[in-house]
């Protein structure tokens, strides 16, 4: 894929790009389908329940059945809703979720877009989803949906600030915002990966990323006790499925981004394991991050909204800024000096 990007753009190369895009789309949709199944089984196992076990062998077709139900379910739009914005919001949440995947490198030669500002691209495009969520809540003409949308926007904007600043240390150490370059520059030993020298930034990034995903323990926009289902309470059928699809595509994106930024990307943890293909190391680290997200959902209770906002502004933001200063001092004294 990387070699084709360096060639002159022809109709043949354009077709290859389109086919690779379709392949990625199918793979991500497959991931979403079975990530939901895996999550339900893992949470069931951790909470001493069985989980899906009826539809298909071992319940493997349960999520397929759920998705089919959503796709054929009646599509309802509230009579007094803003029809255009109501229809637009799910698509506006769904498209950026797939767009950010364009800059994720899976190995040194397997990537779709090798741009110098890959980190900036990811942050800018993923921020559009916040607008979609507010739009969905506003267009529904439902007070619960509006409050859910406003709460979600406050949460996502608040945690996007420490999320971006926590990556600044990695950018400073790498001297680049190109994700492929950041992946390449991490050493062949696991203690040279960014998660150790940038341990404070790594912790801030993980916590902020979970909040950005609106997942437990930060799933306040969907707090059923006070907001019913939050911003998507009036959505049904395939439009509701678009919101859920966006959430799990972002799980894919965050897990891949964490792997590239902090966990060595496609590098083996020790040099004598280099005979294992890089893509397998990437997928293993990716799977561990996804499992960690599911583990959090199975074990942690939801926190209050004041605790959520206090943690973002009073704890994570100062830590992220402190990490930038520590990284700058380290680079000045020990690298340049």
């Amino acid at each position: 894929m990387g070699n084709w990007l360096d060639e002159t753009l022809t109709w043949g190369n354009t077709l290859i790009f389109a086919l690779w895009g379709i392949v990625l789309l199918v793979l991500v949709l497959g991931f979403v389908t079975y990530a939901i199944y895996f999550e339900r089984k893992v949470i069931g196992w951790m909470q001493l329940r069985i989980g899906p076990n009826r539809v298909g062998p071992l319940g493997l077709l349960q999520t397929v059945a759920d998705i089919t139900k959503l796709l054929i379910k009646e599509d309802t739009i509230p009579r007094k809703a803003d029809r255009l914005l109501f229809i637009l919001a799910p698509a506006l949440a769904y498209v950026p979720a797939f767009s950010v995947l364009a800059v994720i490198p899976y190995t040194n030669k397997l990537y779709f877009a090798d741009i110098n500002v890959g980190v900036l691209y990811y942050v800018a495009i993923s921020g559009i989803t916040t607008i979609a969520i507010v739009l969905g809540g506003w267009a529904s003409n439902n007070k619960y949906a509006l409050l859910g949308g406003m709460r979600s926007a406050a949460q996502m904007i608040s945690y996007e600030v420490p999320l971006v600043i926590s990556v600044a240390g990695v950018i400073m150490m790498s001297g680049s915002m190109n994700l492929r370059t950041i992946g390449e520059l991490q050493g062949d030993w696991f203690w040279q990966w960014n998660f150790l020298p940038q341990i404070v930034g790594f912790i801030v990034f993980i916590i902020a990323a979970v909040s950005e995903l609106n997942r437990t323990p930060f799933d306040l926009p969907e707090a059923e006790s006070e907001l019913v289902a939050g911003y998507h309470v009036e959505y049904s059928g395939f439009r509701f499925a678009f919101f859920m699809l966006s959430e799990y595509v972002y799980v894919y994106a965050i897990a891949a981004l964490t792997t590239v930024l902090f966990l060595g990307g496609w590098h083996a943890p020790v040099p004598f394991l280099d005979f294992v293909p890089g893509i397998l190391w990437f997928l293993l680290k990716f799977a561990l991050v996804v499992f960690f997200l599911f583990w959090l959902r199975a074990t942690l209770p939801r926190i209050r909204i004041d605790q959520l906002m206090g943690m973002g502004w009073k704890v994570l933001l100062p830590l992220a800024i402190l990490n930038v200063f520590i990284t700058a001092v380290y680079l000045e004294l020990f690298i340049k000096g």
Side-chain angles (χ1 to χ4, degrees), residues 84-101:
L84 177 61
L85 297 182
F86 189 89
I87 293 172
L88 180 63
L92 202 57
Y94 167 85
V95 173
F98 275 98
S99 299
V100 298
L101 303 181

Side-chain angles (χ1 to χ4, degrees), residues 252-282:
Y252 178 103
I254 283 291
L257 190 66
T258 305
T259 301
V260 174
L261 290 176
F262 293 100
L263 300 181
W266 50 89
H267 293 289
V270 287
F272 60 80
L273 292 177
D274 280 344
F275 66 91
V276 178
I279 186 65
L280 293 183
W281 287 118
F282 183 95

Side-chain angles (χ1 to χ4, degrees), residues 279-301:
I279 186 65
L280 293 183
W281 287 118
F282 183 95
L283 292 175
L284 178 61
K285 299 169 189 176
F286 171 87
L288 287 174
V289 176
V290 172
F291 175 79
F292 174 75
L293 294 175
F294 295 166
W295 188 2
L296 288 182
R297 183 167 184 174
T299 54
L300 294 180

Side-chain angles (χ1 to χ4, degrees), residues 5-310:
L5 284 171
D6 295 330
E7 296 177 2
T8 303
L9 187 62
T10 63
W11 284 109
N13 285 346
T14 303
L15 179 61
I16 290 172
F17 294 152
L19 290 175
W20 269 109
I22 293 171
V23 168
L24 178 64
L25 179 64
V26 171
L27 289 175
V28 172
L29 290 175
F31 164 81
V32 170
T33 301
Y34 284 97
I36 296 171
Y37 167 81
F38 180 63
E39 179 175 26
R40 293 165 73 179
K41 293 295 280 188
V42 166
I43 293 176
W45 168 62
M46 289 183 173
Q47 297 176 349
L48 296 179
R49 296 183 288 104
I50 297 174
N53 69 335
R54 295 297 184 196
V55 185
L58 303 176
L60 285 169
L61 298 179
Q62 180 63 60
T63 309
V64 177
D66 293 339
I67 293 172
T68 303
K69 179 198 73 172
L70 285 175
L71 293 178
I72 63 177
K73 193 174 180 181
E74 180 184 4
D75 174 36
T76 59
I77 299 178
R79 184 186 306 166
K80 295 187 178 180
D82 188 319
R83 187 178 182 87
L84 177 61
L85 297 182
F86 189 89
I87 293 172
L88 180 63
L92 202 57
Y94 167 85
V95 173
F98 275 98
S99 299
V100 298
L101 303 181
V103 293
I104 301 293
Y106 299 94
T107 68
N108 189 30
K109 295 183 178 179
L110 182 59
Y111 54 89
F112 284 87
D114 185 30
I115 60 178
N116 291 330
V117 288
V119 177
L120 189 61
Y121 171 89
Y122 183 98
V123 173
I125 297 299
S126 62
I128 298 174
T129 302
T130 306
I131 301 173
I133 288 174
V134 175
L135 215 59
W138 170 264
S140 297
N141 195 28
N142 179 306
K143 299 301 184 292
Y144 291 109
L146 177 59
L147 287 172
M150 293 173 64
R151 176 186 283 187
S152 182
Q155 174 178 331
M156 295 177 76
I157 292 171
S158 298
Y159 277 81
E160 197 166 336
V161 177
L163 180 77
V164 174
I165 298 177
S166 68
V167 180
V170 173
I171 295 171
M172 293 165 67
M173 293 185 66
S174 305
S176 174
M177 284 198 288
N178 185 310
L179 287 171
R180 189 165 68 97
T181 302
I182 292 173
E184 282 180 348
L185 292 178
Q186 295 178 70
D188 293 328
W189 296 93
F190 68 89
W191 57 78
Q192 296 174 330
W193 297 348
N194 287 330
F195 81 96
L196 279 178
Q198 287 290 308
I199 185 65
V200 175
F202 177 61
I203 293 172
V204 172
F205 180 87
I206 288 294
I207 297 173
V210 175
S211 182
E212 280 284 291
L213 293 171
N214 290 333
R215 291 180 61 84
T216 306
F218 305 118
D219 55 338
L220 271 298
E222 301 171 25
E224 67 278 355
S225 59
E226 66 267 27
L227 292 178
V228 197
Y231 59 89
H232 52 60
V233 67
E234 294 290 357
Y235 284 89
S236 64
F238 74 96
R239 300 189 201 281
F240 172 79
F242 269 36
F243 279 118
M244 290 298 99
L245 176 63
S246 301
E247 177 182 325
Y248 280 90
V249 173
Y250 273 122
V251 168
Y252 178 103
I254 283 291
L257 190 66
T258 305
T259 301
V260 174
L261 290 176
F262 293 100
L263 300 181
W266 50 89
H267 293 289
V270 287
F272 60 80
L273 292 177
D274 280 344
F275 66 91
V276 178
I279 186 65
L280 293 183
W281 287 118
F282 183 95
L283 292 175
L284 178 61
K285 299 169 189 176
F286 171 87
L288 287 174
V289 176
V290 172
F291 175 79
F292 174 75
L293 294 175
F294 295 166
W295 188 2
L296 288 182
R297 183 167 184 174
T299 54
L300 294 180
R302 179 184 296 138
I303 66 174
R304 296 196 316 263
I305 185 66
D306 60 312
Q307 295 171 329
L308 173 82
M309 301 304 286

